[in-house]
Amino acid sequence: MRTFRGGLLIGLAVAVLVAALAITYEFYDTRTLKRTVRRGEVLCGVNKGLPGFSIPDDKGNWTGFDVDFCRAVASAIFDDPNKAKFIPLDASERFKELQSRKVDILSRNSTWSLSRELQYDLYFPAVAYYDGEGFMVPRSRNKETSLDLADSKVCVQSGTTTLLNLADYFKANNMKYELMKFDKLDDVVKAYDTGKCDTLTADVSQLYALRLNLSKPGDHMILPDVISKEPLAPVVRQRDDDWMMIVKWTLYAMINAEELGVTSQNIDEALKSKKPEVMRLVGTEGNYGEQLGLTKDWAVRIIRHVGNYGEMYERNIGAKSQLKIPRGMNQLWNAGGVQYAPPMR
């Protein structure tokens, strides 16, 4: 009897241990790269439709700055940008879906903040786009700055840092306003476009994009003030350092490539370069790719298929796009901006 009870207790203990290990695996799983390679594609969480950043056409083909970054990650791993699969996510669900491994990476105009890293156990590996919150108003209102917006009806999306910044700004400047918040971005834009509110607030880059969707885009202006810091970054799960390193250095490779003048047009010439910095970038010197779990030419793959940071910026949101957003802070550090990548050495 004692032997039976002892065996039963041991069995229960083993069952509890197995269950605990399963829970630990679920929370601490560190095999995103292995799962991605086995699956044969990178699952990218993106905005459901934000011109310039991530938007599908009527055939389901995605384009945009955030889309191209996911394609860069897929290029580094598979040498094929088409190995990126895009999964549209609302702002309210994006972090939870990343946590639950519905996506491998979130590339979706998401602001890096302390509470998001702590609350959701996530990492924001590097800033892809430096932004800030601003305001859009009808030109007919004749407003010059955000300090003229007292007693405005302001439309904003729920579940965003935008909502919190809005409250801070109006409180700090002792201004009253009427808040109109909506869960879905489409509803925010519709309310503004139909006159239910007279002010729309969002990240400045988002305002440029949303203005294109208004019935009369030219009737609206974006005020010059920027009221917050909004470092937009790709997001990955914590405790998965190998994957975080690949995502982070994909962006840094693109920034370094622009600084070195390496583009999708001259990448073949760059492979013949004898400049040490270029050689380390393209993999003809050093074994950085292998240390990342990739190939020597991982950065070449990125640049050949997607381009450097400047190319990605200009065709999607810069001078060659409909948005024509000035580079501003997103210029390289040696051109008056703050985009800066650690050296590859």
Side-chain angles (χ1 to χ4, degrees), residues 67-135:
V67 166
D68 273 354
F69 180 71
C70 277
R71 290 196 173 114
V73 174
S75 296
I77 299 169
F78 299 109
D79 197 18
D80 185 352
N82 295 318
K83 294 291 187 180
K85 179 179 179 181
F86 303 104
I87 300 173
L89 299 173
D90 281 329
S92 60
E93 64 182 346
R94 53 186 161 168
F95 299 123
K96 292 180 180 179
E97 295 291 21
L98 177 60
Q99 275 184 315
S100 66
R101 297 206 294 274
K102 181 176 181 179
V103 295
D104 302 315
I105 175 176
L106 194 63
S107 186
R108 191 203 173 284
N109 60 303
S110 298
T111 298
W112 183 353
S113 72
L114 174 62
S115 62
R116 285 176 170 174
E117 286 198 322
L118 295 177
Q119 181 179 350
Y120 297 104
D121 283 317
L122 301 175
Y123 276 141
F124 294 70
V127 178
Y129 187 92
Y130 289 93
D131 208 349
E133 185 173 339
F135 298 93

Side-chain angles (χ1 to χ4, degrees), residues 153-155 178 180 182 190-198:
K153 292 182 179 180
V154 185
C155 278
E178 183 177 339
M180 300 186 70
F182 303 86
K190 183 178 179 180
Y192 175 76
D193 202 22
T194 57
K196 291 182 179 179
C197 53
D198 53 33

Side-chain angles (χ1 to χ4, degrees), residues 272-344:
K272 304 172 187 176
S273 176
K274 298 302 178 183
K275 294 181 179 179
E277 289 176 305
V278 175
M279 293 175 69
R280 289 192 289 268
L281 174 70
V282 300
T284 53
E285 179 181 299
N287 63 339
Y288 307 108
E290 290 96 329
Q291 290 177 328
L292 284 169
L294 304 173
T295 59
K296 279 191 174 183
D297 66 341
W298 66 284
V300 173
R301 296 175 171 189
I302 294 169
I303 299 161
R304 188 185 303 281
H305 293 301
V306 181
N308 64 32
Y309 181 87
E311 291 179 282
M312 180 173 70
Y313 187 103
E314 294 303 334
R315 71 169 165 265
N316 288 302
I317 56 180
K320 296 180 180 179
S321 74
Q322 283 186 301
L323 273 66
K324 301 188 185 308
I325 303 176
R327 282 283 294 263
M329 288 191 295
N330 291 291
Q331 282 282 9
L332 296 181
W333 67 279
N334 56 6
V338 297
Q339 274 294 4
Y340 187 107
M344 299 176 66

